[in-house]
Structures are given as structure tokens and as C-alpha cells.
Amino acid sequence: MKNLHLILGDQLSSSISSLKGFKKNDLVLMCEVMEEATYVKHHPKKIAFLFAAMRHFALALEQKGYQVRYVKLNDPSNRGNLTNEVARVLEEFSIDKIIVTEPGEYRVEQIIKSWKKKLNVQVDIRIDDRFLCSRESFQKWASCKKQLRMEYFYREMRKKYRLLIEKDNTPTGGEWNYDKENRKPPVKGLSSPKRISHKKSPVLLEVLDLVSRNFAHHFGDLYPFHYAVTREQALLELDDFIERILPKFGDFQDAMLKGEAYLNHSLLSSYINAGLLLPLEICQKAEAAYRKQKAPLNAVEGFIRQILGWREYVRGIYWLKMPEYGDLNYLDAMRPLPDFYWGGATKMRCIGEVVSQTQEHAYSHHIQRLMVTGNFALLAGLDVKQVQEWYLAVYSDAYEWVEMPNTLGMALFADGGILGSKPYAASGKYIQRMSNFCKSCYYNSNEMIGEKACPFNALYWNFLTKNRKKLEGNHRLPYVYNTYDKFSDSKKEEINNQAKSIFIRLGKNSL
Ligand code: FAD
Ligand code: DLZ
């Protein structure tokens, strides 16, 4: 009896369910394959991070006594995709069963499910118990709800995991959610604390060379490379965040600054999503910091909510609604993605800044993703699939299960309100209040009309009027429609003409 335990690139946790019951004679398979590295053109930093983390994980397994077959991308016999690499093992060894933990993406699950027939082999797909809410539990929770909302899901999760919950089952501090304390605009002196760095191992250096030779044509800078690539290094980042940065995480969570990509965000998403860190251990460490009075409640609750609430909620929605979810386009958004998303010139300082941070770090924080690039895509009606592919390609933490609901549901309202209650549409005023981008922008965020008026302003009203039939009934929007209805006819006409001129300039890549 010999079983093949397949570990995918984002399953780098020693507690992964596919390794349970591993026997001496069994084999672990891990492979770097071109198909996974190019199904979208991932940022070179993401590919380097993942390949280096995979190689280190394989070495750690070998040290623990596992027999590992690790296929490098440039191995001459590499057959280029997961199916063909599994088939190669089946040709070389007598394998009774393939054991794999459920993959993060629907696409990969379909591939794995095809093996039974295609490769004539038994496949045991196990639950991914690194997530705190199983696909089945989420379905059960959702099945008795008229409307899905993160806040109520999150409260259940807080009780289930006893995180920031008192003995009498009430939330610590008396409130479930301290978000209103976490939306302060930037103040003088706000900056990104210096982050710890890691010595580059020979494994990482070899991967960086491989990636620079094979993926230089993908969007994004490979160097300087600063990511952790082992669990030990990721744990150092986690501990450093909890000790030094978490106390400041809350207040300026939504603030944005030129040249300051990180501010007080954790930068942990790539490590959690690849499996180097586990969501529960992170939440528990954050709670411990609060209990020891090392971090305030608004910061700790806000941070735990992102992981225990949002992260699990979006994954639940993804699996609940796939595959149909990927084709939703409630607002019929079809305008082609402009060049400036790929680093082309734009006079809009906010977009230029977020795209260049993305290019440099394969990272930009949540509000930048949502309220700058996401907001523009929403207001301009950019093609949902093109926008979704962009987010999947450019961030080091991007996997479809988390990226798609965030893009399609949260940023673009393409799911018509499955994930959230209203579109996150905002004019230039929001960006002006929450950032210092507008101060050095060609456009004026206080102006609606004219060549130098901030494009977000007229596009905001144009978006609302264009989608009025679909949005007017939304209980959170009557206020904005009332405001619009009070505009004079000539103002409405001016906004309409301004939007037309913006779309012409957008089409000519001269915005
Ligand atoms: P922090 O701000 O420090 O938050 C802590 C942790 O909470 C994160 O590491 C992450 O694990 C979790 N988290 C926070 N917000 C979310 C959220 N909305 N959904 C899921 N988890 C969340 N996150 C990804 O992990 N992968 C993606 O591909 C991704 N794509 C996004 C696309 C769009 C359009 C938007 C609006 C958001 C997207 N997010 C994605 C969510 C969020 O922006 C990132 O998780 C966050 O910016 C990662 O940075 P951080 O680790 O510093 O997070
Ligand atoms: C993202 C990614 C990349 C870039 N490369 C590989 C790879 O070569 N081998 C592999 O096993 N996994 C890779 N991955 C992660 C997979 O795409 C991931 O398992 C799916 O996105 C499912 O979440």
C-alpha cells in the first residue's frame, strides 16, 4: 500500500489534513508547475515567495522523515501542470490512493475531481481545517438567512471560538464592533514603522534567479525582495506586528499616505493564505495582547474581525456561490481596463500611487484596494472579469477564493448585494479626507466640472444616475438620490457632459 499525499503551493502547514495518517512507505508530492504560475500573470514577487516557501516546506518535511518528491519548475522532466505531474508519479510508482486537502480555488478542485476518471485512481479530498468555518458549516449558517451579512456571521464566530467574549457570553467591552473608532484621517507624523528583514537563504537566492529568468515579463518588481519564506520567519513577523504595530492598527486603519504602503497594517495575508501562519493562532495572540493591556480594544477587535470575520465570510460566500459567482455582473460593467492599472501614465495621483506601490511590493492595503483602484473601477464601470483578473495577478496574497468575493462583491457590487449591503462608491472627497494624495494631484478634488476637476467627482454622480433603477431601492442609498434630485437641471447636465468627457479621455489613456 502506497498513498500519494499531494501538497499544493498554498497548503504549507505541517498540520495540513492531507498529511494525517502518513505512513512510512507513502510519498509526498509537491510541484512547481507553469500552469499554476501563469493561469494569470502573477506578480514575480508572489511566484518567488511561493516557490521559496514551497521548497523550504519540502525540506522541513524531509527533515521530519517524510519521503518527498519535489519537482522544480526547471526540472527537464517537469510536465507543466498538476494533472500531468500526478500522472508521472502514477506511471513510476504503484499508488493506491491520492490524498489531498481541498484546494482554495474552484478551478483546482475541478481538476482534482477529474483524476478519478482521467487517471483511474482513488482520490481522497479532505476538509481544509485551517479555516475556522468549514464550507459545510457556512452553508448551514447561510441556509436559514434571508440576507447574508458579515457582522452576524462574525458574532457567531466570536462566540464559537471564545475570542473577545466574556464569561456571560457578552462581547468584551460591551460592543461587538469598534469600527467607528478606526476611521481616522491621517495626522501629521503618521508613517509606516520599519519592518524586520530576513537573511536570504541559498534556497531563496536560487528561486529569485529562476523567477527573474522566467517571469520578468509579468507586471511587478521582483527586487528588492523582503518576504518571509519559512514559518519561522513568518512567526517573527507576526510577533513583531503584535508587539510593536498592533497597538496602532486601529485608529488609522483606513488612512492612506504617499510613499507609505504599509502604515500599521499587518502584512500577514500572504503568509496566512499560503499556510505559513494559522488564522486561529494569530487571533489568539492578538487577544492575548489586549488581555495583557499591550494593545487597545479597538485595534484588537478590528484586527480579529478582519481574520475571523471577513476572511472566513468571503471564503464561505465563494464556495456557496461558485461557479455562478464568477460570471456575475449586476451593473453590466464592460469598459476595458485602462493601461494605468498596469503602470501606464495617469494624472490621478491616488491611482498612480496605489499602482506603483502594488508594482513595487505586490501589496497595497485594504482601503487602497477598495476605495482607490476598486472605487474607480466601480464608478467607471470597468469590465468585471478584467478587474477581477487584475487583482488576482498583482497581489502576493491573491487566490481566487478570497480575491473574487472581495473584488466582485465588495469593490464592484457585481453580485448585486450578496456579500455586502451597498456599493462602496465614493467621490474624490473621501480620498481627499483619508489621504494626502490629492495635495500633489493634477486634479482638484474640490471641483466637479472642468478639465482639472477630480474625475471621481462627476463619475460618482454619473454612476448613481446610470444605475438608478438597480440601486434606488437600496435602503442605504435614498439620502444620496435625494441630494442628486435637488441639483438644478443645468448642474445635472454639466455632470453628464463632464462624465462623457472623462470617458473620452479614459479611452485615449489621457486621464
Ligand atoms: P490587515 O489590514 O493587517 O488585516 C489583517 C488580516 O485580515 C489580513 O492579513 C487578511 O488575512 C484579513 N483580511 C482583512 N480584510 C480582509 C478581507 N476583506 N477579506 C479577507 N481577508 C481579510 N485579501 C487577500 O488575502 N487576498 C486577496 O486576493 C485580496 N484581494 C482583495 C481585493 C479587493 C478588491 C479588496 C477590496 C480586498 C482584497 N483583499 C484580499 C482583502 C484585504 O485587502 C487584504 O487581506 C489585506 O489588504 C491584506 O493586507 P494585510 O495582511 O496587511 O491586512
Ligand atoms: C499560486 C501558485 C503558483 C504561482 N504556483 C504553484 C505551483 O507551481 N504549484 C502549486 O502546487 N501551487 C501553486 N500555486 C498555488 C495554486 O495555484 C493554489 O493551490 C490554487 O490557487 C488553489 O488555491
Side-chain angles (χ1 to χ4, degrees):
M1 280 281 281
K2 192 181 190 73
N3 291 330
L4 181 67
H5 300 251
L6 173 66
I7 307 258
L8 298 169
D10 55 354
Q11 298 183 337
L12 310 180
S13 317
S14 57
S15 62
I16 192 87
S17 59
S18 55
L19 285 179
K20 301 252 157 73
F22 185 94
K23 290 187 277 27
K24 226 170 136 205
N25 191 35
D26 287 355
L27 184 64
V28 171
L29 172 65
M30 295 179 69
C31 40
E32 297 166 8
V33 286
M34 215 29 135
E35 185 171 276
E36 291 307 308
T38 55
Y39 72 94
V40 291
K41 285 190 175 154
H42 301 287
H43 195 297
K45 271 198 170 80
K46 176 182 180 184
I47 301 176
F49 157 67
L50 215 60
F51 284 4
M54 285 170 71
R55 290 185 188 194
H56 274 289
F57 185 75
L59 289 171
L61 285 183
E62 275 171 352
Q63 273 165 12
K64 285 184 195 156
Y66 290 87
Q67 201 196 330
V68 182
R69 174 185 172 104
Y70 191 93
V71 185
K72 292 182 177 175
L73 189 82
N74 52 355
D75 181 334
S77 44
N78 189 323
R79 292 188 185 172
N81 67 37
L82 294 170
T83 302
N84 291 342
E85 276 309 305
V86 169
R88 194 151 70 92
V89 175
L90 298 181
E91 287 163 23
E92 289 175 31
F93 300 88
S94 169
I95 297 289
D96 294 286
K97 189 167 59 176
I98 297 172
I99 300 173
V100 61
T101 294
E102 58 192 2
E105 301 192 355
Y106 182 85
R107 172 187 63 85
V108 182
E109 188 172 80
Q110 293 308 105
I111 293 173
I112 292 173
K113 281 184 172 166
S114 74
W115 292 344
K116 188 167 185 236
K117 223 169 161 188
K118 205 182 252 174
L119 305 178
N120 192 23
V121 65
Q122 209 188 320
V123 185
D124 174 5
I125 305 178
R126 296 181 176 172
I127 284 180
D128 190 345
D129 56 15
R130 297 171 303 167
F131 286 97
L132 302 174
C133 181
S134 68
R135 284 155 58 171
E136 200 190 352
S137 304
F138 190 87
Q139 269 164 17
K140 228 182 251 171
W141 173 80
S143 66
C144 53
K145 301 279 173 303
K146 262 209 221 130
Q147 201 183 41
L148 307 181
R149 288 299 167 251
M150 195 289 295
E151 183 63 29
Y152 299 106
F153 169 76
Y154 165 61
R155 291 179 190 183
E156 297 291 317
M157 294 292 282
R158 288 264 297 274
K159 286 186 230 159
K160 181 169 172 194
Y161 286 94
R162 309 298 308 166
L163 284 162
L164 296 178
I165 292 289
E166 299 306 308
K167 284 202 182 85
D168 62 357
N169 264 334
T170 57
T172 299
E175 306 274 345
W176 287 102
N177 183 317
Y178 291 86
D179 208 21
K180 58 183 178 305
E181 294 177 33
N182 293 353
R183 297 188 197 124
K184 297 186 180 67
V187 289
K188 212 166 170 227
L190 181 67
S191 63
S192 307
K194 199 169 174 342
R195 303 292 171 138
I196 54 171
S197 58
H198 308 281
K199 195 165 175 273
K200 288 186 181 56
S201 65
V203 170
L204 173 58
L205 291 172
E206 188 185 315
V207 166
L208 288 170
D209 182 52
L210 175 86
V211 173
S212 69
R213 279 184 289 109
N214 286 278
F215 303 102
H217 58 293
H218 288 199
F219 169 86
D221 306 337
L222 178 58
Y223 298 105
F225 187 88
H226 46 73
Y227 282 71
V229 294
T230 64
R231 171 157 168 85
E232 291 69 30
Q233 291 175 347
L235 276 171
L236 288 177
E237 294 214 9
L238 169 61
D239 291 342
D240 182 56
F241 169 74
I242 299 274
E243 195 167 314
R244 280 193 310 126
I245 302 167
L246 175 63
K248 293 176 278 179
F249 172 84
D251 292 4
F252 302 104
Q253 199 181 331
D254 290 0
M256 300 177 275
L257 286 182
K258 240 175 14 157
E260 303 280 355
Y262 305 152
L263 292 173
N264 294 312
H265 289 269
S266 72
L267 321 185
L268 296 176
S269 50
S270 304
Y271 310 135
I272 312 175
N273 295 350
L276 298 183
L277 297 174
L278 298 174
L280 188 56
E281 70 182 343
I282 299 176
C283 292
Q284 286 169 338
K285 282 191 179 195
E287 174 170 20
Y290 168 71
R291 299 282 176 209
K292 286 185 215 148
Q293 298 182 352
K294 289 195 167 161
L297 188 54
N298 68 312
V300 173
E301 185 283 316
F303 181 67
I304 288 178
R305 177 165 17 94
Q306 307 311 312
I307 296 177
L308 183 69
W310 278 112
R311 186 171 184 274
E312 297 289 331
Y313 179 72
V314 300
R315 186 212 184 219
I317 300 248
Y318 177 79
W319 283 107
L320 187 70
K321 298 293 178 187
M322 279 302 278
E324 294 78 15
Y325 200 76
D327 290 324
L328 296 179
N329 188 357
Y330 180 67
L331 300 176
D332 300 317
M334 283 182 283
R335 201 176 293 281
L337 195 72
D339 286 353
F340 53 69
Y341 275 78
W342 298 110
T346 172
K347 296 192 281 279
M348 288 180 286
R349 171 65 86 175
C350 54
I351 296 207
E353 184 66 23
V354 173
V355 171
S356 80
Q357 288 178 12
T358 301
Q359 181 160 359
E360 190 180 345
H361 303 288
Y363 177 87
S364 99
H365 76 63
H366 183 68
I367 290 302
Q368 309 204 138
R369 297 187 204 195
L370 182 64
M371 300 309 292
V372 178
T373 42
N375 186 25
F376 185 86
L378 172 74
L379 300 185
L382 300 187
D383 182 280
V384 172
K385 278 201 196 286
Q386 288 182 26
V387 177
Q388 195 253 306
E389 277 202 8
W390 182 80
Y391 279 100
L392 192 55
V394 302
Y395 291 113
S396 61
D397 57 19
Y399 300 87
E400 197 182 82
W401 65 266
V402 51
E403 178 274 331
M404 185 184 277
N406 268 298
T407 304
L408 211 141
M410 194 184 296
L412 302 182
F413 204 67
D415 68 1
I418 295 172
L419 180 132
S421 56
K422 72 171 181 94
Y424 282 91
S427 71
K429 289 271 182 316
Y430 176 87
I431 298 170
Q432 183 190 40
R433 188 170 70 251
M434 297 309 294
S435 80
N436 64 0
F437 299 153
C438 305
K439 280 185 187 153
S440 52
C441 186
Y442 169 85
Y443 296 107
N444 185 339
S445 54
N446 293 316
E447 285 176 19
M448 174 97 75
I449 307 296
E451 206 266 324
K452 292 196 112 189
C454 170
F456 282 81
N457 291 339
L459 286 184
Y460 172 74
W461 291 111
N462 179 70
F463 165 80
L464 288 167
T465 49
K466 180 174 166 258
N467 295 297
R468 187 162 190 154
K469 271 198 187 130
K470 288 177 180 163
L471 299 179
E472 197 170 27
N474 187 305
H475 69 286
R476 297 184 67 184
L477 291 175
Y479 165 77
V480 287
Y481 282 110
N482 284 340
T483 305
Y484 179 79
D485 289 341
K486 285 181 196 142
F487 290 170
S488 65
D489 286 348
S490 63
K491 184 168 177 174
K492 288 177 186 166
E493 175 85 24
E494 275 186 317
I495 292 172
N496 193 18
N497 290 336
Q498 176 76 8
K500 278 188 193 152
S501 130
I502 291 169
F503 287 131
I504 291 169
R505 283 180 275 156
L506 185 63
K508 291 182 184 160
N509 273 315
S510 66
L511 204 57

